[in-house]
Amino acid sequence: SIIAFVYPTFFSRCPFREQAIFFEFSHYGNESLKPRRGEGNCTGDFSSSSGPEQIAQYYQKQLRENGWSITQDKSSIRDGTPIVDFIDQSYILAERNGFSYSIQAYKSPNDPTWVSIKIKK
């Protein structure tokens, strides 16, 4: 039998190859991505009760296991990442075959961690 997967409609502005990259592995906590409103690119967001560093560690592992090369890793504020109104933030950039995959996770006081993922050719 053949199993077909239908991508969420918010990816309709996102080229097919970029769409497929979003679904190579599960997102942290099996979260579903929500569209970044007003942007015509391949960006999805979700929030989590986990901290940015823990989320970054998950994506580092998943990206490496799926053949991505991490080219920028600011997975904790202790590495000199600037902070503006955030307690904690992380940023990971990976590249593979001309595509980039970026994850930004940031947490403000008394709020959940906000995670943004962007795929680009």
Side-chain angles (χ1 to χ4, degrees):
S1 73
I2 296 174
I3 298 173
F5 185 81
V6 178
Y7 296 113
T9 57
F10 85 83
F11 285 109
S12 62
R13 293 184 189 176
C14 183
F16 179 75
R17 289 171 141 179
E18 285 90 332
Q19 288 179 35
I21 291 170
F22 276 108
F23 299 99
E24 286 183 358
F25 52 85
S26 297
H27 292 285
Y28 184 84
N30 287 320
E31 292 288 340
S32 296
L33 296 176
K34 296 164 192 71
R36 169 84 53 91
R37 301 272 181 223
E39 290 194 26
N41 57 30
C42 304
T43 304
D45 302 311
F46 67 89
S47 62
S48 173
S49 60
S50 297
E53 195 168 349
Q54 185 177 1
I55 292 166
Q57 288 172 355
Y58 172 82
Y59 281 99
Q60 288 166 344
K61 181 178 187 284
Q62 292 299 320
L63 289 165
R64 285 187 179 112
E65 287 178 358
N66 284 277
W68 292 85
S69 296
I70 295 176
T71 57
Q72 195 171 5
D73 181 355
K74 294 184 177 180
S75 55
S76 76
I77 60 171
R78 290 183 293 282
D79 68 2
T81 304
I83 306 169
V84 180
D85 297 329
F86 300 124
I87 287 179
D88 196 3
Q89 64 180 350
S90 295
Y91 178 78
I92 303 290
L93 176 63
E95 295 178 351
R96 184 185 74 192
N97 301 329
F99 290 92
S100 68
Y101 192 119
S102 64
I103 301 103
Q104 182 175 14
Y106 47 92
K107 181 171 178 41
S108 297
N110 304 317
D111 288 333
T113 299
W114 188 254
V115 181
S116 178
I117 297 173
K118 183 174 186 175
I119 310 294
K120 221 165 70 163
K121 175 78 173 147

